[in-house]
Amino acid sequence: MYRASHQHRLGGAVAVLIALLAVAAALAAGHLVAALTEPLASPYLAVGNTAIDLTPQPVKELAIDLFGTADKLALLVGMGVVIAALAAVGGLVSRRNPLPGMTMITGFGLLGMAATVSRSSLAPLALTAPVTAALVGMGAFAWLHRTAAASARGNDRASSHPRREAEQEDAEQHETATRGTAGGRRRFLISGVVVALASGSAGTVGQLLSGRRRVSRSRQAIGALEPDIAAAPVPAGADFADSGTPSFITPNKSFYRIDTALRVPRVPASEWGLRVHGMVDRELNLTFDDLMDRRQLQKPITMVCVSNPVGGSYISTAEFIGVPLRDILAESGVRDGAEQVLSTSVDNFTAGTPIDALTDPNRDALLAVGMNGEPLPTEHGFPVRMVTPGLYGYVSATKWVTDLEVTTWDTRTYWEKRGWAERAPVKTQSRIDRPKGFEKTPAGRITVAGIAWAPHTGIERVEVRVDQGSWQEAELSASVNTDTWRMWRIELDLSPGGHNVESRATDRSGYTQTAKRVPTVPDGATGWHSVFFTAE
Ligand SMILES: Nc1nc2c(c(=O)[nH]1)N[C@H]1C(S)=C(S)[C@@H](COP(=O)(O)O)O[C@H]1N2
Ligand SMILES: [Mo]
């Protein structure tokens, strides 16, 4: 099969390209099969992890000093460079004969298998990944090499014997020759593009699938969370769900979700790291286990989005579990003059939270790991997010948080650059949940019910009025803490016909919710929620 290729040397660039493509195909195929069987057996990761295990401690420390939390990324990139360089050499020594390249790929395959076997935690099924990688790599290399060699033969002949094509005996050679240079080169180009596209898609699909599986395993491994300081149980009567309000605790599945992520970041807890730096006395680099070793407290907190319109649904409450941010900041020490903590997520969202709100001993701003007893759901920031009572999410609740920089207000954040306010305390507001707009209810005694919130200040009073009449005070649900919403309800006697009901909340600072309607931009909507309905 390779008879002719012994006589025709491939160009250097072509030889290198073939080897790079074949190795890419091998790694992509291995990654995909690993995603379907055992994500950690992906040859690239398995070799990387083994390299980490074999690295002497002082070298590891040096790497952490040099690269901080990017040390693993640095390793993976470094490995990529080494593999590419070896592949290039393998390609160059295979210009006449594919054997050296095939041997090199077999060697890589054996390395991947050894790395997989050495990780005793992996099931035998895990071997399917490096084995597939090796087979696909050899197949791709052989195919590309043959196509390129055929093209090179065509080349040689086209230049040396332009008019003797018909005299060729060998059918394969004949075909190549009659098609001439351009045809052969086109075939090689197409093969290369096919291999590149197939590798790209296999790698991408593998990455998506393995991310999902690794995160769900990581969440399972963490299991149910037990705080060191538990919240008091939520009292009966904390909501009026029977009267149409939401339940006091929002189930994780129903918790509102707002983020800029087209694809939810999937970060297993073992790969997560947090760097605390900037205007601090000591820089910290924390792992997930470091957080689990620290004092964790549990606390019901209501979160609100600044984009919540009057009467909107971007508000929910969960019992969060996490390490108080004031503990972390006390550990790193905050220098004089610091004004905000700039938090960054793995997907480069940024938020700026006033230092005061994070260090305040009376405000439990958390680096949260748990939500309603379980690890954070992926969409809500697994493995670690911020939650700050009393501030809108975009300035205080970074999900998938990985970097905290103590700094001044000079650094601007993701939403600030898009016209939203630098500081954004949650505004005191209320919402009517029953009746719904344009609902038809029987005339006579009807219940009007809803929610009110003034996070970190607390709700003092909610009043309701019908058809611009006088304000009547509603009954409030049992108070849980000032950082959560409060439910309210009132029974009214109404004549048949259309009615308009409005609500307004007063918080514990004495402030009564303004009637003035302002839009959500730049720092949150105001105005009374008003619902029109018909009593029949
Ligand atoms: N990484 C990241 N964190 C983020 C956001 C985001 O887009 N990316 N959105 C913020 C906004 S605007 C809000 S209101 C809250 C919403 O949190 P939730 O989706 O868990 O309800 O997350 C905040 N944290
Ligand atoms: Mo938000």
Side-chain angles (χ1 to χ4, degrees):
M1 196 200 311
Y2 299 114
R3 181 163 40 100
S5 61
H6 291 280
Q7 293 130 35
H8 301 274
R9 265 159 61 93
L10 299 180
V14 169
V16 167
L17 186 66
I18 290 173
L20 289 179
L21 281 172
V23 168
L27 291 175
H31 200 54
L32 178 58
V33 171
L36 297 168
T37 54
E38 169 49 68
L40 286 177
S42 172
Y44 206 63
L45 298 179
V47 170
N49 279 323
T50 306
I52 292 176
D53 293 350
L54 297 179
T55 305
Q57 192 57 31
V59 179
K60 268 186 205 160
E61 275 157 24
L62 181 71
I64 292 173
D65 280 351
L66 277 175
F67 302 110
T69 44
D71 57 342
K72 293 198 183 67
L73 181 67
L75 173 79
L76 292 177
V77 172
M79 270 172 53
V81 172
V82 171
I83 291 176
L86 289 175
V89 173
L92 284 175
V93 297
S94 309
R95 289 172 70 180
R96 281 184 191 284
N97 188 313
L99 205 65
M102 302 287 275
T103 314
M104 167 194 76
I105 291 173
T106 312
F108 280 158
L110 288 173
L111 201 66
M113 289 177 225
T116 307
V117 171
S118 76
R119 308 193 73 72
S120 50
S121 56
L122 302 185
L125 188 64
L127 269 180
T128 49
V131 170
T132 311
L135 292 176
V136 167
M138 288 193 282
F141 189 82
W143 185 47
L144 291 171
H145 200 280
R146 183 157 37 124
T147 323
S151 152
R153 280 201 303 280
N155 239 334
D156 284 4
R157 206 163 302 115
S159 49
S160 52
H161 319 283
R163 287 186 195 84
R164 279 195 280 149
E165 304 158 354
E167 297 167 21
Q168 299 301 325
E169 293 157 16
D170 186 296
E172 188 197 335
Q173 288 183 355
H174 176 75
E175 186 196 317
T176 318
T178 47
R179 285 196 184 183
T181 319
R185 204 180 289 145
R186 189 170 344 110
R187 268 212 285 168
F188 172 66
L189 257 172
I190 291 172
S191 323
V193 170
V194 165
V195 171
L197 288 181
S199 315
S201 1
T204 307
V205 172
Q207 185 62 16
L208 293 178
L209 287 178
S210 69
R212 252 169 219 280
R213 292 196 52 184
R214 297 178 66 212
V215 163
S216 72
R217 281 189 194 189
S218 178
R219 291 187 75 243
Q220 272 165 25
I222 294 165
L225 289 166
E226 292 294 337
D228 300 290
I229 306 166
V234 172
D239 63 42
F240 294 141
D242 296 348
S243 304
T245 71
S247 56
F248 181 79
I249 296 291
T250 313
N252 286 353
K253 284 194 308 295
S254 325
F255 204 98
Y256 84 90
R257 175 186 164 200
I258 303 276
D259 53 59
T260 58
L262 284 179
R263 204 166 73 71
V264 179
R266 303 204 185 253
V267 187
S270 60
E271 279 168 32
W272 178 85
L274 178 73
R275 177 169 174 234
V276 184
H277 62 114
M279 298 169 73
V280 296
D281 299 327
R282 280 167 301 280
E283 189 172 317
L284 303 179
N285 280 293
L286 302 175
T287 65
F288 190 77
D289 288 339
D290 291 337
L291 282 194
M292 298 305 273
D293 290 343
R294 278 173 176 69
R295 166 180 90 124
Q296 296 202 340
L297 61 86
Q298 178 186 43
K299 171 151 185 161
I301 297 171
T302 294
M303 284 188 50
V304 195
C305 181
V306 69
S307 301
N308 193 40
V310 171
S313 58
Y314 298 152
I315 175 166
S316 301
T317 300
E319 273 188 310
F320 289 98
I321 295 177
V323 176
L325 269 153
R326 61 175 176 278
D327 289 5
I328 302 291
L329 290 173
E331 221 174 296
S332 67
V334 171
R335 296 236 176 105
D336 287 348
E339 293 166 329
Q340 70 167 334
V341 170
L342 180 78
S343 50
T344 307
S345 67
V346 294
D347 61 341
N348 281 319
F349 168 87
T350 50
T353 316
I355 291 266
D356 311 347
L358 302 180
T359 50
D360 180 356
N362 297 313
R363 184 185 323 232
D364 296 321
L366 300 178
L367 267 182
V369 296
M371 186 171 175
N372 295 332
E374 48 174 286
L376 292 176
T378 320
E379 318 76 74
H380 294 292
F382 182 82
V384 183
R385 76 172 304 167
M386 285 175 62
V387 183
T388 312
L391 304 181
Y392 285 120
Y394 82 103
V395 293
S396 72
T398 303
K399 305 191 269 190
W400 314 289
V401 65
T402 184
D403 190 284
L404 297 179
E405 183 187 354
V406 178
T407 178
T408 63
W409 286 114
D410 293 341
T411 318
R412 297 175 74 233
T413 62
Y414 185 91
W415 286 115
E416 257 178 77
K417 290 179 194 155
R418 290 160 176 80
W420 297 78
E422 178 181 86
R423 294 169 202 233
V426 178
K427 294 177 180 176
T428 298
Q429 284 287 113
S430 60
R431 180 183 85 190
I432 300 163
D433 287 277
R434 177 175 290 173
K436 294 286 175 211
F438 305 104
E439 192 176 318
K440 292 187 167 60
T441 62
R445 297 201 73 78
I446 72 140
T447 300
V448 178
I451 58 176
W453 61 95
H456 208 58
T457 308
I459 287 293
E460 177 70 31
R461 183 166 68 244
V462 173
E463 297 159 294
V464 174
R465 72 174 184 182
V466 182
D467 304 329
Q468 328 273 296
S470 57
W471 290 101
Q472 307 178 53
E473 198 165 333
E475 176 194 357
L476 291 180
S477 63
S479 168
V480 173
N481 63 37
T482 59
D483 294 327
T484 50
W485 56 12
R486 197 99 183 251
M487 316 290 169
W488 55 266
R489 69 180 166 195
I490 187 168
E491 250 191 39
L492 301 171
D493 208 355
L494 292 179
S495 56
H499 296 288
N500 185 64
V501 60
E502 293 164 291
S503 68
R504 71 174 186 194
T506 299
D507 65 30
R508 288 186 180 163
S509 76
Y511 169 82
T512 297
Q513 189 188 329
T514 172
K516 192 176 165 216
R517 286 245 173 186
V518 303
T520 54
V521 185
D523 63 358
T526 62
W528 296 333
H529 189 203
S530 127
V531 167
F532 179 84
F533 66 100
T534 308
E536 298 182 315

